[in-house]
Every structure is written in C-alpha cells, then in structure tokens.
Amino acid sequence: PAVTTRTGRAVRPPKRFDDFVAFEALQAPIAELNPHPVISFKANADLNLLPNRSHAVKSKSTPALCSKILTKDPKDPKFDNSFNYRRVIGKLLYLEKSSRPELAYAVHQCARFSNDPRRSHGEAVKRIGRYLAGTADKGMILNPSDTASFDCWVDASHAAEWNRSTAVDDAATAKSRMGYVVLYANCPLLWSSKLQTEIALSSTEAEYIALSQS
C-alpha cells in the first residue's frame, strides 16, 4: 500500500531490488541464469575486427600491471596519437562505471594523464583493450540476497604511489589511493578507485579519509 507524506504525495514503499536501480533484476535461481554477451559491445571491443588488422590481438589476463604505477613521465616520448586518447578514455570510463568495476584502478590511472599522454600511458590503455578483447563476453550476475540493507566496503593505501624521482613533476604522488564499493542486498551499485583530495600523514588518516569520502 502507498504511504501518504506530509506534502500529500503518495509514495509506494519499495519491495523489489529493482526499485532502487535503473534495470530489472532477474528473479531466477542462479543455475537457470544464462548470461549472454552484449553483441554491440562485443563487436566494438573485439580488436580483431578492426580494419586493416592482419593478426589476432594477444589478450591479457589483467587490465593493468600491479607492479607498475603510472606517472607523468615527462622524459618519455609523447603519445603517437595512434588513437584518440581522450575518446577512448571516455568510453572506458563509461564502461567501468556501468558494468566493469575491475577496470576502475587501471582506467583511473590512464585518465589522469589525458591532458598530456605519453607513450607509457598509451601502452597502458592498449593493455586495457587487450584485457577487454579476452573478456568481452564476461559480466556481472546480480543475485540479490533477502537482506535489504546497504553496505559500503572501503580501503585505502597510504601514499602507495609516492615516487621521489617524479614528485617534483607530479605532487599528486603523495596522495593516497582509495577504493570503495556500495552494495544493496549484496549487489554492487556504486564503486570507485581514485586519489584522495587531501594528503594523509598516516595510514590511519588515509583510512578515515576514505571512509568519509565514500
């Protein structure tokens, strides 16, 4: 039944998971779900279908190297503009925010340098493309739990991207990186990976900043 508020507006209390999101949740046992790739996206993401490509693209198992942190890299040659860097970053951001949370860290690293991309940044973007080429048919299956509650998982790494040799050119390396995911009924709704807006002086402070900003 609807609930009448003080303004006289009738509000129907939500009862289903899809009352909170912009799509319909499938109510079916997990064994009955048969996810299909989005054909239009698969065609765009499959690098083998690009014009004038004479060989298959080697896919990658991860979107980024955990041992390599991107910096401004001013001594590296400028990006050769073999593709539109800003346009590709925009598409990757849309994809990451809509259905591919595992891209958050890799895409944010590349997006930071859209103003003056270098060769190393272009190679990082290509790696994301190679990862998507091998995982174009993957996606998330939302299986709502019976518990209708919001949960927020947060983590931060204190100054993990600090680099003394590049700090003069990029002071942002002193900032800590944070990540969070907001769940409803055990299904992810929002997620992010970004640098904090303030410089934390300890790991405890970095954690508190991440908690407050998430």
Side-chain angles (χ1 to χ4, degrees), residues 9-165:
R9 181 182 179 185
V11 179
R12 182 175 61 87
K15 294 183 178 181
R16 287 171 45 88
F17 172 76
D18 47 324
D19 287 332
F20 293 90
V21 293
F23 54 85
E24 182 179 358
L26 296 176
Q27 293 185 329
I30 198 69
E32 297 179 7
L33 294 178
N34 183 23
H36 298 282
V38 180
I39 303 302
S40 60
F41 164 67
K42 183 174 176 60
N44 291 330
D46 193 346
L47 302 184
N48 296 324
L49 300 180
L50 293 179
N52 302 324
R53 181 164 296 282
S54 59
H55 60 279
V57 174
K58 294 182 179 179
S59 61
K60 297 292 184 180
S61 58
T62 58
L65 292 172
C66 61
S67 59
K68 181 176 178 58
I69 297 176
L70 296 182
T71 63
K72 281 190 173 182
D73 215 355
K75 297 182 180 179
D76 198 42
K78 286 184 174 294
F79 177 59
D80 59 5
N81 293 321
S82 55
F83 57 86
N84 191 315
Y85 191 93
R86 287 174 177 266
R87 181 176 296 179
V88 172
I89 289 297
K91 292 182 178 181
L92 290 175
L93 285 171
Y94 177 81
L95 178 62
E96 176 260 317
K97 291 300 182 185
S98 60
S99 60
R100 302 297 292 264
E102 80 274 20
L103 299 179
Y105 171 71
V107 174
H108 182 266
Q109 276 207 116
C110 297
R112 288 185 58 216
F113 309 104
S114 296
N115 189 46
D116 185 23
R118 301 287 170 162
R119 183 170 59 187
S120 57
H121 307 144
E123 290 299 323
V125 173
K126 290 179 182 179
R127 182 183 178 91
I128 298 176
R130 293 186 178 100
Y131 169 77
L132 291 174
T135 60
D137 58 341
K138 306 300 180 183
M140 294 190 299
I141 297 178
L142 302 181
N143 185 27
S145 65
D146 296 331
T147 304
S149 64
F150 283 98
D151 299 288
C152 183
W153 296 87
V154 189
D155 197 8
S157 57
H158 176 236
E161 299 184 14
W162 165 255
N163 190 319
R164 183 181 297 273
S165 60

